[in-house]
Amino acid sequence: MTRTGPTPGERTLRRPELSSLWQTVHDRLSSGRPVTRVRLGPLDDAQREALADLLGLDRLPDVRPSVALARLEEAVTELCGRTVRETVTDLVGPLADRATERRRQEDERAGLWAWLDAHDIVRAQPALADWAASCRAAGLVGGSPGRTRALLTDTLAVLAALPAHAEPLPVFAARVVRGDSHALDDGTRLSSLVLRALAALHDTDPPQSAADRRALWTRAGVADDELSATVLTAGLLPGGDGSLARVARVCAEAGQAASLTLAQVRAPGRLTLGTRPAAVVYIVENPSVMALALRRFGPSCPPLVCTSGWPNSAAIHLLRLLADHGAILRYHGDFDGEGIRIAAYVLDKTPAQPWRMTAGDYRAAVARLAGGPPPGRLTEAPWDPELTVAMAGHGITVVEELVADVLLDDLAVVGRADMA
């Protein structure tokens, strides 16, 4: 026979006065934890009477009764032959498992922060470790690991694309962030995260004013002027008839430094680096070291590029251009906290390799000094984890000028690369 409606037992379970009972039991069973008793209430007289009828009690329960789940199970089974779980699923809805869901969310959060800590960009520039820790401390965006990962993915994509190509901020944003020219507008979450990361790289406080924010974007090559962004070279003798090759050659042949603009680097024209299998270009952080090299070698100066501290967009793009044309790049900078961060940045943004930047090189330099200023905040040197350990132990800065004689001796051995 076809069933036409609820049985008397089911009608008893569906009494409106029992709805708070089933909702409370449903909530407790959805916790994912073992349940033996359920605390109800406060119940009014009608609810207490309905509960007494359900459980077969000879008197009304307390206003806030504690009901044993086993007793409720017996009553429900006797009335309709089903379990409490089946009953609350039918009356309230599917049961959840909040404990399992919490564990899943905890695993997802842990996976998110582990992913960020191990990301290639964070590992390549350890100064970003503090930024990654601050992201973790700030928590999830909207409580969602997925939304947070998407935002961090965009942030890391922006950091990977810096320094920019002297583009206005909206143009840079559209190129890097899925065509969204407003993605890096002032006040957006993405803009704030990127600027905090740049502040960590440059060891400055997060920007508090529009002027501070503009200054950080400018350091990152966004809206850099194609003429004011320049890079110093010496001894660079590329072949070709473009303005870059001609200016570099004229200055090198005169034993002078060349100041190449970003515009020249971006549009170099025809460029060759000679017939050698691989010309070596040496990179220094400080213009004074380049000046010493020119004084010693004159027109025979080996190829040098100077970043003048933190490299601007002209410097990074020139180094990439030289590498694309077959040059091997070697970098040296100051042995202090900022010098290590600059070196990590150059090695991450270009194919350059360290040049006399190991812990052994630092110790050898310190042995020649009577003392020096402290190195400041130190972050790991990705190419030699022992380097900053040694620097912390000695507590002495070694600026590049103090080892210039060693660097110039290296250049003397190498001699000028045949780049004509």
Side-chain angles (χ1 to χ4, degrees):
M1 178 180 289
T2 303
R3 181 176 173 180
T4 59
T7 66
E10 290 173 336
R11 283 195 293 271
T12 297
L13 298 178
R14 292 177 184 273
R15 289 176 63 180
E17 295 84 359
L18 293 176
S19 61
S20 64
L21 165 68
W22 304 128
Q23 185 63 60
T24 302
V25 173
H26 184 278
D27 289 346
R28 289 295 311 280
L29 292 178
S30 293
S31 69
R33 297 189 176 98
V35 179
T36 58
R37 304 189 71 85
V38 178
R39 173 73 67 178
L40 306 174
L43 303 180
D44 59 26
D45 289 346
Q47 292 171 322
R48 294 166 67 197
E49 183 178 342
L51 181 61
D53 291 343
L54 174 64
L55 300 178
L57 304 178
D58 56 7
R59 60 183 179 181
L60 294 181
D62 294 337
V63 174
R64 295 181 181 274
S66 175
V67 178
L69 192 64
R71 179 69 190 90
L72 187 60
E73 195 79 58
E74 292 174 4
V76 170
T77 302
E78 184 177 340
L79 279 170
C80 64
R82 293 191 296 176
T83 66
V84 168
R85 283 181 174 272
E86 291 169 339
T87 299
V88 297
T89 298
D90 179 46
L91 297 177
V92 181
L95 291 169
D97 187 345
R98 290 194 295 272
T100 298
E101 178 62 17
R102 281 193 296 272
R103 288 192 294 271
R104 185 193 67 77
Q105 291 177 351
E106 289 168 0
D107 290 344
E108 194 171 355
R109 284 195 296 269
L112 167 68
W113 303 126
W115 163 80
L116 179 60
D117 290 340
H119 196 281
D120 288 346
I121 291 175
V122 176
R123 291 176 64 86
Q125 299 184 62
L128 290 175
D130 289 344
W131 167 78
S134 73
C135 292
R136 182 171 189 161
L140 301 177
V141 177
S144 168
R147 287 177 59 189
T148 306
R149 184 184 285 251
L151 178 62
L152 289 171
T153 297
D154 285 345
T155 304
L156 293 164
V158 171
L159 293 174
L162 296 174
H165 307 298
E167 301 154 294
L169 188 59
V171 176
F172 172 72
R175 178 169 66 84
V176 176
V177 193
R178 299 179 304 281
D180 185 356
S181 61
H182 297 289
L184 293 170
D185 283 359
D186 224 11
T188 63
R189 277 199 177 103
L190 180 58
S191 175
S192 296
L193 272 178
V194 172
L195 288 170
R196 281 168 48 199
L198 293 176
L201 281 176
H202 294 290
D203 197 25
T204 63
D205 293 331
Q208 300 298 319
S209 67
D212 292 341
R213 292 189 286 274
R214 283 195 300 271
L216 272 179
W217 283 123
T218 299
R219 292 188 77 171
V222 178
D224 249 359
D225 184 273
E226 284 195 328
L227 300 182
S228 61
T230 61
V231 55
L232 291 174
T233 71
L236 205 60
L237 287 167
D241 55 6
S243 63
L244 186 153
R246 293 201 304 270
V247 170
R249 280 201 310 270
V250 166
C251 292
E253 289 167 352
Q256 298 292 324
S259 181
L260 303 176
T261 68
L262 178 58
Q264 291 168 326
V265 174
R266 291 184 66 187
R270 188 175 65 84
L271 184 71
T272 62
L273 298 187
T275 58
R276 294 175 59 119
V280 179
V281 176
Y282 291 88
I283 311 160
V284 293
E285 179 186 338
N286 298 284
S288 54
V289 176
M290 178 176 282
L292 291 172
L294 286 169
R295 183 183 305 171
R296 176 167 172 178
F297 300 111
S300 298
C301 185
L304 282 174
V305 173
C306 179
T307 66
S308 301
W310 279 94
N312 60 19
S313 51
I316 293 296
H317 290 299
L318 174 64
L319 295 174
R320 290 173 176 171
L321 177 68
L322 296 174
D324 288 344
H325 284 75
I328 295 173
L329 308 179
R330 297 284 185 262
Y331 178 82
H332 188 277
D334 291 335
F335 284 114
D336 63 0
E338 185 171 38
I340 298 303
R341 287 186 287 277
I342 293 173
Y345 184 82
V346 172
L347 302 188
D348 180 45
K349 297 296 183 180
T350 75
Q353 295 298 316
W355 169 32
R356 289 197 177 273
M357 288 289 288
T358 67
D361 295 316
Y362 171 76
R363 293 189 187 99
V366 168
R368 304 166 57 193
L369 303 178
R377 184 174 72 91
L378 293 173
T379 49
E380 182 183 350
W383 63 93
D384 184 358
E386 290 298 316
L387 174 54
T388 49
V389 175
M391 292 171 65
H394 287 282
I396 295 175
T397 288
V398 179
V399 296
E400 195 172 33
E401 290 84 350
L402 294 177
V403 294
D405 58 331
V406 177
L407 302 180
L408 298 188
D409 287 345
D410 283 352
L411 297 180
V413 171
V414 173
R416 168 175 285 182
D418 178 14
M419 300 180 68

